[in-house]
Amino acid sequence: MDRYSNDPRGGRYPRNARSGDRPQQTGAAEHEAALRREMNTRKPKAHGQRDLLRRRLKLAVTIGVTLAVVLTARLGWVQLVWGPDLSEKASQQRTRIYVDPARRGEISDVRGQQLAYTMQARSLTASPVVLRKELRTLADFELQESKDYYDLKESERDERLDAKVKEEIERYAREIPKAIEQAGASNAEVSEKDILNKLKSDSTYQVLVRNVDPDVAEQIAKDFHGIAADMQSIRQYPNGAIAENVIGKISQDGEGQFGFEASNDGILAGVDGRKTFDVSPDGVVIPGTMRDEIPATNGAKVHLSLDLDLQTYVQQQVEQAVANSGAKSASAVVLDAKTAKVMAMANSATINPNGDIEKQLERGKTFANTTISAPFEPGSVAKVITAAGAIEDKKTTPDEVLQVPGSIDMAGVNVRDAWVHDVAPYTTTGVFGKSSNVGTLMLAERLGEQRFNDLLLKFGIGQTTGIELPSESAGLLPNLSQWSGGTFANLPIGQGMSWTLLQMAGVYQAIANDGERIEPRIVDHVEDASGAVVEQPEPEKVQVVSPATARTVRDMFRSVAQSDPSGLQQGTGPQAAIDGYQVSGKTGTAQQVDPNTGAYSNSNYWITFAGIAPADNPRYVVAIMLDQPQRGVHGEGGQSAAPLFHGIASWLLNRDNVPLSPPPEGQLVLEAR
């Protein structure tokens, strides 16, 4: 209906007009004009509404298109620019890499007796920060079950929760050590205070206890929320301090730290395995996602040339010698005469890796292997080089009688014998049997400086042996171009240069092995993870002197251990003699430098001995050094190391049932009558 109604009288008026306001009836013309005016008034209003609608629609379309373009661009940016990075982050969040640790290889002696091996154990670990949050959440769940939970103020609830967490942490620190102690399942001291401090720390990872038996560790992890039993490998050294100077030890991280463990870490450690898989947000492995699996390769098993029984005996003898003689230290090396393999390598004050390391260090115990790392002046033991050179070059014969004065001048340096005497008719054998400095220098002069230097180098002096151990010293040998006038007056009698004990043993090994020096080695053989023998590089071999010369020198040096009631034909080391066997060797007494004066001391000495047993059919070479002994190795007068050689060589000859030597044909002549 329109807003006008027809009047019965033919007129039009607005429908809402009062009857009194109705207009008067008009004619047809007037009616048409009024209607036109009304239509013209309504038309602009309708057009305005349609324009407004169109504008709104256009704006909406524009906004929609713009949003679509923006979203499309955003999606493209995410897919093309951010996509790879986001994909990588997502992969990292769900990807887990599990490392399968390789087992460290075993170390055994030449007879297969264990020197070091790895045992599986567990470490109890926790994330203190996460643990305390989780304990608080658990405590909150418990508190919610109480009737007055919602009546408590927030501060009161916090106090109760804090107290509960503290109580639980203290219970952990108290109960975990008890559980371990009752099971006897840890090789480490477990401290309640230490565990408590670790659990109170702000760390995200703490090792609470190491070296726990796997079963006990798993049970503790099950009984105590937030405690994990992580896999751990424990290196065992079943013989304590025996051969520890050679074997060394590993760190808590499983890396070689000292000795053979350090220098051969690469072959002992093996290669860890690994595998990759995906996990769900709650940490559950997603089936079928295992990939990139690489199996672990366990470390190689190394068989050393050490003989554990012999090593034990030698180490005990060395320690006893230090106690008896009052020496600062002592060491001994035993080589196989034919192969130069190390059978024993001992020094005093060796640490026990199974004990309290800090306390032992305070008492002077050490991981050091002084037989290869602490060179010293060898003294008269070095005279064997002059003897070998003089016989090899035919500068003398064993029976030549030398008229040896009590002193000699060489390049302005006066050298005396250790005892006062007039000109004495010593044989070449007697010069070395009685250890005459003067007689030795007389023979060295026949060789000359160049030839003597060549001999030192052939015998390996001033060079490392290449043994498979760390921290080996080359010792000290002055270069020939740097020799001063007095150098040649010192070197032939064992002063002015320094050797390691292993180098000393190597010199006598060459004499024992018919003149062929073989670089000493301590690895007998190596087996890889599959049990296959791994070939080792051959040691260097040097023919220093001829076999005939070596045999002659061995025979000459039997004079050192020769005894004579009259003293005329007696050597300097009769205590080295062994009933039923011929032995060959040399005593040594080297003056140490006084740090206060810079000159040689008349009271501080290195006492040495190197010997071959048996001399007629060499099996063993034994080298010994004592640092500043105050008396003999058995507490007797004198300062000789010969008795220690006797003890070690006798034990070996008896243990290995070595056939007796043929009786010698009379005494060796040391001094002509």
Side-chain angles (χ1 to χ4, degrees):
M1 294 178 63
D2 62 26
R3 53 187 294 195
Y4 290 92
S5 300
N6 292 323
D7 189 271
R9 293 168 294 186
R12 289 177 58 84
Y13 57 89
R15 294 181 58 193
N16 60 349
R18 295 189 299 273
S19 60
D21 295 329
R22 293 177 181 174
Q24 294 294 321
Q25 184 177 9
T26 61
E30 291 178 348
H31 176 73
E32 184 178 353
L35 183 61
R36 189 177 294 112
R37 286 195 299 271
E38 176 67 17
M39 292 299 293
N40 289 337
T41 301
R42 294 177 59 191
K43 185 175 181 180
K45 292 182 179 179
H47 281 295
Q49 290 176 349
R50 285 196 294 272
D51 288 344
L52 179 61
L53 182 62
R54 282 196 295 270
R55 286 196 300 271
R56 287 178 177 176
L57 181 60
K58 184 177 181 180
L59 178 62
V61 171
T62 301
I63 293 174
V65 171
T66 302
L67 287 175
V69 170
V70 170
L71 290 175
T72 302
R74 180 71 171 177
L75 180 61
W77 183 269
V78 170
Q79 289 289 335
L80 299 177
V81 180
W82 290 355
D85 185 53
L86 292 173
S87 177
E88 177 66 22
K89 289 181 178 179
S91 176
Q92 291 176 356
Q93 289 177 353
R94 68 174 180 268
T95 299
R96 297 291 183 271
I97 298 176
Y98 174 76
V99 176
D100 182 15
R103 175 168 291 199
R104 194 173 184 85
E106 178 182 311
I107 303 175
S108 68
D109 80 339
V110 71
R111 300 172 186 269
Q113 299 181 89
Q114 289 180 325
L115 301 176
Y117 64 93
T118 298
M119 184 180 73
Q120 294 298 322
R122 296 290 186 275
S123 290
L124 295 177
T125 64
S127 173
V129 172
V130 175
L131 174 61
R132 293 195 298 270
K133 289 181 179 178
E134 292 178 349
L135 290 178
R136 185 182 180 86
T137 300
L138 293 174
D140 190 45
F141 288 155
E142 292 181 6
L143 187 60
Q144 288 179 25
E145 296 178 358
S146 63
K147 296 179 180 179
D148 60 344
Y149 177 79
Y150 294 101
D151 296 331
L152 295 173
K153 296 180 180 179
E154 185 176 351
S155 60
E156 292 175 333
R157 286 200 296 267
D158 288 341
E159 287 180 5
R160 288 196 184 186
L161 294 177
D162 290 342
K164 183 62 175 177
V165 171
K166 180 181 178 182
E167 179 184 334
E168 277 295 279
I169 291 295
E170 291 175 348
R171 183 179 72 84
Y172 276 39
R174 186 174 58 253
E175 297 298 329
I176 289 176
K178 286 183 180 179
I180 296 172
E181 184 178 356
Q182 290 173 356
S186 174
N187 293 327
E189 295 184 6
V190 183
S191 167
E192 177 181 335
K193 181 180 180 181
D194 184 51
I195 294 178
L196 183 61
N197 289 335
K198 289 179 178 179
L199 292 176
K200 288 181 176 180
S201 71
D202 292 329
S203 171
T204 57
Y205 182 80
Q206 283 284 354
V207 178
L208 304 180
V209 186
R210 297 182 186 274
N211 304 350
V212 181
D213 180 87
D215 292 340
V216 175
E218 294 292 347
Q219 187 61 47
I220 290 175
K222 186 182 298 184
D223 295 341
F224 294 85
H225 176 83
I227 302 300
D230 292 349
M231 183 177 293
Q232 178 195 359
S233 295
I234 304 176
R235 196 63 166 171
Q236 295 290 318
Y237 301 99
N239 306 295
I242 302 300
E244 176 57 26
N245 60 316
V246 173
I247 302 166
K249 69 179 291 291
I250 64 172
S251 67
Q252 288 188 343
D253 295 326
E255 297 177 350
Q257 196 170 18
F258 300 102
F260 191 85
E261 294 271 32
S263 60
N264 293 270
D265 189 64
I267 64 173
L268 289 168
V271 180
D272 290 344
R274 57 185 296 167
K275 50 190 173 184
T276 305
F277 50 81
D278 294 338
V279 297
S280 62
D282 57 357
V284 178
V285 175
I286 299 175
T289 61
M290 189 76 70
R291 60 193 181 277
D292 301 334
E293 185 171 5
I294 302 173
T297 302
N298 292 330
K301 180 177 181 180
V302 179
H303 298 261
L304 299 183
S305 58
L306 289 180
D307 182 321
L308 179 59
D309 295 338
L310 174 64
Q311 176 74 25
T312 302
Y313 179 78
V314 172
Q315 202 159 326
Q316 290 172 346
Q317 290 297 298
V318 164
E319 293 286 2
Q320 193 63 51
V322 169
N324 291 339
S325 68
K328 291 176 61 177
S329 65
S331 52
V333 169
V334 181
L335 299 182
D336 183 295
K338 300 300 183 185
T339 66
K341 292 288 185 69
V342 177
M343 301 176 66
M345 180 178 273
N347 48 253
S348 57
T350 297
I351 206 165
N352 182 352
N354 301 325
D356 188 315
I357 301 297
E358 292 298 326
K359 289 182 179 179
Q360 291 183 81
L361 291 173
E362 291 174 1
R363 296 199 307 269
K365 299 292 185 179
T366 178
F367 285 106
N369 185 356
T370 57
T371 64
I372 62 171
S373 63
F376 53 89
E377 295 195 13
S380 295
V381 167
K383 292 174 180 176
V384 72
I385 294 178
T386 301
I391 296 298
E392 177 77 0
D393 292 1
K394 298 180 171 53
K395 301 297 184 181
T396 187
T397 63
D399 298 327
E400 180 188 358
V401 178
L402 306 175
Q403 299 301 321
V404 181
S407 65
I408 187 174
D409 287 321
M410 292 185 65
V413 177
N414 184 265
V415 180
R416 298 178 179 275
D417 277 337
W419 66 101
V420 177
H421 65 86
D422 294 326
V423 176
Y426 296 143
T427 63
T428 298
T429 297
V431 164
F432 300 107
K434 289 186 174 292
S435 199
S436 169
N437 293 333
V438 176
T440 301
L441 291 176
M442 290 169 64
L443 293 170
E445 283 187 311
R446 296 182 184 183
L447 287 169
E449 293 185 2
Q450 182 65 60
R451 173 58 173 152
F452 185 73
N453 181 71
D454 291 344
L455 285 166
L456 290 172
L457 295 177
K458 278 193 171 184
F459 273 106
I461 307 306
Q463 309 153 54
T464 57
T465 67
I467 195 165
E468 310 93 327
L469 294 171
S471 305
E472 183 186 11
S473 170
L476 176 64
L477 175 64
N479 189 281
L480 180 60
S481 63
Q482 298 174 332
W483 287 17
S484 64
T487 304
F488 196 44
N490 281 322
L491 295 181
I493 60 175
Q495 299 274 183
M497 59 179 168
S498 63
W499 299 1
T500 66
L501 192 62
L502 184 61
Q503 287 174 325
M504 179 188 291
V507 168
Y508 280 76
Q509 181 273 328
I511 299 300
N513 190 39
D514 287 344
E516 183 183 53
R517 180 176 65 87
I518 304 175
E519 288 186 334
R521 293 291 181 264
I522 201 164
V523 172
D524 187 71
H525 67 280
V526 177
E527 298 176 15
D528 64 18
S530 66
V533 176
V534 180
E535 186 175 352
Q536 301 297 303
E538 286 292 324
E540 184 180 345
K541 299 178 181 180
V542 179
Q543 192 70 42
V544 182
V545 293
S546 68
T549 294
R551 288 192 293 268
T552 299
V553 171
R554 288 202 304 269
D555 192 55
M556 288 169 55
F557 275 65
R558 289 191 298 113
S559 62
V560 172
Q562 183 170 280
S563 61
D564 179 12
S566 71
L568 189 65
Q569 309 301 337
Q570 181 163 301
T572 57
Q575 307 97 321
I578 302 172
D579 289 342
Y581 294 95
Q582 297 179 26
V583 297
S584 179
K586 186 71 190 76
T587 56
T589 303
Q591 292 174 288
Q592 297 187 9
V593 174
D594 188 330
N596 297 319
T597 64
Y600 281 117
S601 170
N602 291 317
S603 58
N604 296 330
Y605 301 95
W606 286 293
I607 303 300
T608 56
F609 191 95
I612 301 166
D616 56 297
N617 184 22
R619 293 280 299 272
Y620 318 110
V621 173
V622 181
I624 298 162
M625 187 279 289
L626 286 85
D627 184 0
Q628 297 185 28
Q630 306 304 308
R631 48 195 174 271
V633 296
H634 295 146
E636 73 278 17
Q639 297 172 315
S640 174
L644 188 53
F645 168 84
H646 169 90
I648 294 171
S650 296
W651 188 92
L652 264 172
L653 293 166
N654 180 64
R655 196 275 303 264
D656 294 344
N657 294 314
V658 177
L660 297 176
S661 302
E665 298 178 1
Q667 282 190 322
L668 297 170
V669 177
L670 280 60
E671 183 173 352
R673 297 181 180 179

